[in-house]
Amino acid sequence: TYELDYVYIIVFDKEKASLTPHEFIDYYLGKINTIVCGFDFKFGVRGSGNVKTLQEHKEFETVIVSEITYDGYKVGSTHIRDLINSGLLEQIKEVMGDYYSVQGEVIHGAKKGRTIGYPTANMNTLDYLIPKNGVYATLTKVDGVWYQSMSSVGHNPTLNCMVEVSVESHIFDFDQDLYGKNIELKFIKRLRDELKFDSVEALIAQIDQDQIDSLKILNSLR
């Protein structure tokens, strides 16, 4: 983790896309001392600028990050997004150094989970990239403390079929009121697909097994 004083985000639009590499450098990078970029970085109209273009400008230093691979894949945002979209969350730690997590406010849901003995915290996950639908072994952070949990990503097809994808977390041995709190959810491993059950009893039986499977995975992290 780096302590940053300021972060400036350049919003990409048609005007910026039409700039030549040297126009972009003159306008945005004129007063910068050091630039850090990946080995395959491209910029300017139709990606015509690259690291060599930056190195030609001696008024700033260009630091190039070499390619990093893991298990035959280039480590980068595209590969990480593919892992998240595929539900392969256990592999995220190998390439990022930690498990993938999202944060959000706990909001009111249908409150159907409490009727079957598994109350859940429904999260407003805003603009996060949400993993593939399914059930996950997770850790949930509340007021600075991590708790073991299991979480569901999907449409809740058995109890309350929803149009929008919901992210719900059941925290083990936890009975605090979370509404309005901001919590963090860390995805450890995907357990199974989201399923629609023929009865509530069948759903409960599967959730019972999900809890056993989740605890086995989470206890092995210690």
Side-chain angles (χ1 to χ4, degrees):
T1 303
Y2 296 93
E3 296 294 331
L4 302 178
D5 294 322
Y6 301 98
V7 175
Y8 294 98
I9 299 175
I10 301 174
V11 179
F12 188 76
D13 54 26
K14 290 184 178 180
E15 179 183 355
K16 296 179 183 65
S18 66
L19 295 175
T20 68
H22 294 291
E23 287 174 336
F24 183 88
I25 290 172
D26 291 341
Y27 190 82
Y28 287 105
L29 308 181
K31 296 183 179 181
I32 291 179
N33 295 319
T34 305
I35 294 175
V36 181
C37 63
F39 72 99
D40 56 352
F41 175 65
K42 293 184 178 181
F43 66 104
V45 60
R46 293 185 294 278
S48 54
N50 52 35
V51 295
K52 290 184 179 180
T53 312
L54 294 174
Q55 290 172 323
E56 291 172 357
H57 288 256
K58 303 304 180 182
E59 61 268 31
F60 51 76
E61 179 186 2
T62 301
V63 178
I64 302 172
V65 179
S66 302
E67 181 179 16
I68 300 174
T69 61
Y70 180 83
D71 199 24
Y73 292 94
K74 183 185 77 171
V75 175
S77 58
T78 298
H79 179 51
I80 292 170
R81 284 194 297 269
D82 287 344
L83 292 176
I84 295 171
N85 287 327
S86 300
L88 301 174
L89 279 300
E90 68 274 16
Q91 297 183 26
I92 292 290
K93 188 173 187 294
E94 303 298 330
V95 296
M96 290 183 59
D98 199 357
Y99 295 100
Y100 182 65
S101 66
V102 300
Q103 297 184 40
E105 181 184 352
V106 178
I107 57 178
H108 289 277
K111 300 181 176 62
K112 294 292 184 67
R114 66 180 62 182
T115 66
I116 60 173
Y118 286 98
T120 61
N122 291 54
M123 293 179 63
N124 180 0
T125 50
L126 300 175
D127 296 324
Y128 281 100
L129 178 61
I130 303 304
K132 180 180 180 180
N133 288 5
V135 177
Y136 294 82
T138 57
L139 295 172
T140 302
K141 189 177 184 180
V142 181
D143 294 331
V145 179
W146 287 103
Y147 296 90
Q148 294 179 326
S149 59
M150 60 182 179
S151 302
S152 173
V153 177
H155 303 277
N156 201 350
T158 304
L159 291 179
N160 181 44
C161 191
M162 304 170 63
V163 175
E164 299 294 331
V165 172
S166 67
V167 179
E168 306 178 28
S169 179
H170 172 73
I171 306 174
F172 303 134
D173 301 319
F174 187 90
D175 60 0
Q176 299 179 30
D177 183 4
L178 293 179
Y179 290 119
K181 284 184 176 289
N182 192 76
I183 65 175
E184 181 175 356
L185 185 62
K186 186 175 290 188
F187 293 90
I188 307 303
K189 187 172 183 179
R190 189 172 188 269
L191 301 178
R192 62 174 176 84
D193 290 336
E194 181 182 45
L195 303 172
K196 182 174 183 178
F197 295 89
D198 294 331
S199 66
V200 173
E201 291 74 20
L203 171 63
I204 294 173
Q206 179 61 64
I207 296 177
D208 289 343
Q209 185 60 51
D210 293 338
Q211 176 168 316
I212 294 172
D213 295 340
S214 294
L215 288 172
K216 185 181 297 184
I217 293 169
L218 296 172
N219 288 333
S220 70
L221 300 178
R222 296 176 178 176

